[in-house]
Amino acid sequence: MSSRRSSSSSRSRQSGVSSDITEAQINDLVSKLQQLIPELRAPRRSDKVSASKVLQETCNYIKSLHREVDDLSERLSELLANTDSNSAQAAIIRSLLM
Amino acid sequence: MTPIIPTANNPASATKLRFARRFLRSLSKMSKTRPSCPSSICVKKRSEGLKMAAYWCMARSVGSRRAWSRAILMKLSRGRQQHPHHHNFSMKRKIRRPTWLGKTKKKQKKKRNITCSSSSYDDEDEEEIMKRQTEKLREVVPGGKLMDICSLLEETAHFVTCLADQVHVMQTIAHRYS
């Protein structure tokens, strides 16, 4: 709370509009978040997506990423049982650099 | 799902490489210390350990700069302290799963139903919907319950980026090993 007050008071001297400044900050952060979500980045039918929609899609995206991690760790544990080669490590890091 | 492609100016790519190195090290440790047993129970336990190791490695790669990584490190190290004999994450250890690593798929389905029913009140209760979505976000992002809304949104953005990087690295490793 105190951090929000200090940031808003540094930008505005009017006590009445401090909540508006915070809302502008929130909108800015929400739009930045929107750029990270694949579902909201590609279709650009309208300029504005509502903030609640962005938050909802963010939650869904995070949950789908967690599910991906679950599936991948299952796959990796099966693969780990079959191979213990370390020679692929350098190749993996190289492919990540490209 | 398209993973986020790192650019030259993207600072997250350094974190991604750190994560890749750490995770590969822990993978080779796990394959050396535990004999590979083909039974399904072994595979399941190892996959649980791998998953925790992945989150641990990502949080270590980010360090204590971010509140979400601090929250992950604290929660996972608490699990380690309860069982000091096991230094790696696999086998015979029940870590208390933090809520944001939700395994309870049934609960998630219930939450989605609530979202669908509330969407009809968009015009009237947008503030209520925002509050509800913010609460959901707080549950999903580690350490989210203690932050104000601005920090929560910043942390969420960074967390999403790092999680996507983590998924990309794991996909690359799985692709290379298969």
Side-chain angles (χ1 to χ4, degrees):
Chain A
M1 275 299 247
S2 59
S3 63
R4 196 192 295 177
R5 278 193 203 133
S6 63
S7 62
S8 59
S9 63
S10 63
R11 292 187 187 197
S12 161
R13 289 172 197 162
Q14 302 172 22
S15 57
V17 297
S18 60
S19 58
D20 293 337
I21 299 293
T22 310
E23 206 169 308
Q25 280 180 322
I26 292 176
N27 287 335
D28 184 46
L29 290 168
V30 165
S31 64
K32 279 182 190 163
L33 195 55
Q34 185 182 336
Q35 296 304 311
L36 298 173
I37 313 294
E39 281 85 16
L40 299 174
R41 203 172 32 194
R44 284 194 183 147
R45 286 179 241 154
S46 62
D47 287 339
K48 251 196 172 179
V49 182
S50 71
S52 55
K53 174 87 175 159
V54 172
L55 292 189
Q56 185 185 333
E57 289 301 325
T58 307
C59 288
N60 293 339
Y61 184 52
I62 292 177
K63 285 174 191 168
S64 70
L65 285 173
H66 282 314
R67 278 197 298 271
E68 284 268 331
V69 172
D70 284 352
D71 294 339
L72 283 166
S73 48
E74 271 183 41
R75 251 178 83 187
L76 280 173
S77 71
E78 283 169 16
L79 291 169
L80 208 62
N82 299 331
T83 174
D84 58 351
S85 158
N86 290 335
S87 61
Q89 287 190 25
I92 290 168
I93 295 178
R94 263 201 302 275
S95 66
L96 285 171
L97 282 168
M98 289 191 289
Chain B
M1 188 196 312
T2 51
I4 294 174
I5 302 168
T7 60
N9 296 327
N10 187 357
S13 61
T15 308
K16 195 174 176 180
L17 280 175
R18 273 201 299 271
F19 166 70
R21 289 201 182 105
R22 267 183 217 274
F23 190 55
L24 286 167
R25 267 204 300 267
S26 36
L27 277 180
S28 47
K29 257 191 225 173
M30 282 177 83
S31 65
K32 280 173 191 168
T33 55
R34 296 290 171 184
S36 56
C37 49
S39 74
S40 59
I41 300 171
C42 274
V43 168
K44 194 178 177 186
K45 284 186 177 172
R46 196 165 37 226
S47 76
E48 287 293 314
L50 262 176
K51 189 165 56 169
M52 293 297 148
Y55 287 115
W56 173 265
C57 290
M58 180 46 92
R60 283 296 305 269
S61 305
V62 171
S64 46
R65 293 179 301 212
R66 287 280 167 181
W68 66 264
S69 57
R70 288 196 296 269
I72 292 181
L73 291 172
M74 262 195 333
K75 286 202 169 140
L76 288 180
S77 64
R78 246 183 253 152
R80 266 180 148 179
Q81 280 169 12
Q82 287 172 6
H83 302 266
H85 302 292
H86 300 280
H87 291 294
N88 55 2
F89 289 96
S90 56
M91 310 273 292
K92 282 191 181 179
R93 195 155 72 93
K94 279 186 183 172
I95 305 168
R96 253 184 80 201
R97 187 178 304 278
T99 50
W100 39 263
L101 285 182
K103 198 185 175 188
T104 52
K105 291 179 184 174
K106 286 180 188 172
K107 280 186 186 171
Q108 286 175 5
K109 278 182 187 167
K110 274 186 189 169
K111 281 180 185 171
R112 274 185 208 142
N113 287 335
I114 292 169
T115 310
C116 288
S117 63
S118 69
S119 61
S120 57
Y121 300 115
D122 262 349
D123 297 329
E124 298 171 13
D125 295 347
E126 192 165 331
E127 217 178 290
E128 285 296 315
I129 291 173
M130 265 302 275
K131 279 186 190 169
R132 211 175 294 145
Q133 292 299 337
T134 312
E135 281 310 307
K136 281 188 198 172
L137 198 61
R138 284 183 196 277
E139 285 169 25
V140 178
V141 174
K145 294 186 179 169
L146 305 170
M147 303 175 201
D148 62 315
I149 182 69
C150 285
S151 314
L152 177 67
L153 291 172
E154 278 184 39
E155 293 288 322
T156 306
H158 193 257
F159 179 58
V160 161
T161 313
C162 290
L163 202 54
D165 286 345
Q166 178 180 330
V167 165
H168 185 224
V169 169
M170 290 174 82
Q171 279 170 346
T172 313
I173 294 175
H175 179 68
R176 286 287 170 176
Y177 271 121
S178 59

